[in-house]
Amino acid sequence: STTENADSVVVIGLGRFGGSVASSLVRLGHEVLGIDENAETVQHWADQLTHVVQADTTNSDVLRQLGIKDFARAVVGIGSDLEASVLTVLALEELGVPDIWAKATSVKHGRILERTGAHHVVYPEAAMGERVAHLVTGKMTDFIEFDDGFAIAKTGAPKEAWGKTLSESALRSKYGVTVIALKQTRADLTYAKADTIVEPGDQLIVAGTAALVETFAALT
Ligand code: ADP
């Protein structure tokens, strides 16, 4: 019934991406139906997900028989087989699944998925590549960018801030970034306050537009 599956998620294509989404959802306490056409893959996930089914999801009759129309959310992790990815999203859309997420391997693939009915298109490889680019330069130890160009990064403190309180160094008015928290050597993360003194070697958690956060990290 509808209520029974209201909090459940169907994950289609249990490859590296879909498998990771499915197992994380289980860990977060959700019921997950995993579907894959490959028997070995289905076997692999059988005891880790709530339910697993071996099926070709490009056929909407198959999805109908599996009761997929009662699911509030679906994630399509099929990537390399473009035709299967698109036909699966189309079948989910035809069944009226209200929240369809799909993985795209290219911008063109993503555009097709949006036109076909995906409500959210994700580009895991492009997103991770961008993140690694920020990390590999050595200026940031973590970087997360949100859809609207806003970012949060973990980075060192610029020399000009050493030995001063945050209010004295006035990083926000100078660089347009807000220091949210500090990680001092061998200490826990603490929320930043106006009177927090920044020491050499401290890691700052800073927020702002991606461009300003990048400029700020480059100072360190
Ligand atoms: P990843 O890079 O995340 O591993 P892949 O595209 O390689 O992604 O894997 C997608 C998964 O989707 C594979 O396990 C494959 O068996 C499955 N798959 C592909 N086509 C279909 C389909 N028509 N129906 C169901 N599962 C499919």
Side-chain angles (χ1 to χ4, degrees):
S1 74
T2 305
T3 45
E4 202 179 303
N5 287 324
D7 197 37
S8 307
V9 185
V10 57
V11 179
I12 297 173
L14 301 171
R16 290 164 300 173
F17 174 76
S20 170
V21 171
S23 54
S24 300
L25 284 167
V26 166
R27 193 167 43 77
L28 293 169
H30 299 275
E31 304 230 320
V32 174
L33 167 62
I35 310 178
D36 201 288
E37 65 175 3
N38 182 289
E40 274 173 40
T41 305
V42 166
Q43 187 69 34
H44 171 84
W45 289 103
D47 51 6
Q48 297 176 65
L49 308 180
T50 322
H51 304 283
V52 279
V53 173
Q54 183 187 354
D56 176 354
T57 56
T58 57
N59 184 331
S60 56
D61 290 336
V62 169
L63 293 182
R64 195 169 288 119
Q65 277 160 25
L66 290 170
I68 302 307
K69 71 167 178 47
D70 293 335
F71 281 77
R73 297 185 190 88
V75 180
V76 180
I78 302 170
S80 38
D81 186 342
L82 188 101
E83 191 178 314
S85 154
V86 172
L87 289 175
T88 297
V89 168
L90 189 64
L92 290 168
E93 197 268 341
E94 279 173 8
L95 289 181
V97 174
D99 199 21
I100 304 170
W101 295 72
K103 163 180 120 165
T105 52
S106 70
V107 172
K108 282 179 186 164
H109 182 187
R111 270 200 216 121
I112 297 169
L113 292 175
E114 274 165 14
R115 286 300 190 92
T116 319
H119 305 101
H120 308 272
V121 175
V122 294
Y123 302 87
E125 298 196 343
M128 186 50 86
E130 196 189 327
R131 207 167 107 86
V132 168
H134 282 103
L135 306 184
V136 84
T137 57
K139 297 294 189 182
M140 300 187 202
T141 44
D142 216 338
F143 179 86
I144 304 163
E145 184 173 348
F146 302 96
D147 281 348
D148 48 10
F150 188 81
I152 293 182
K154 189 174 183 186
T155 179
K159 232 180 197 149
E160 62 176 272
W162 295 357
K164 289 184 192 159
T165 65
L166 286 169
S167 104
E168 283 164 354
S169 55
L171 300 175
R172 187 186 304 162
S173 51
K174 261 194 200 155
Y175 300 108
V177 299
T178 301
V179 179
I180 303 170
L182 280 91
K183 173 88 178 73
Q184 307 192 298
T185 324
R186 282 189 296 276
D188 291 335
L189 201 74
T190 52
Y191 288 108
K193 288 182 292 186
D195 62 356
T196 304
I197 296 171
V198 175
E199 304 290 355
D202 286 359
Q203 288 277 302
L204 309 182
I205 311 293
V206 296
T209 64
L212 290 175
V213 167
E214 281 161 8
T215 306
F216 180 77
L219 295 170
T220 67

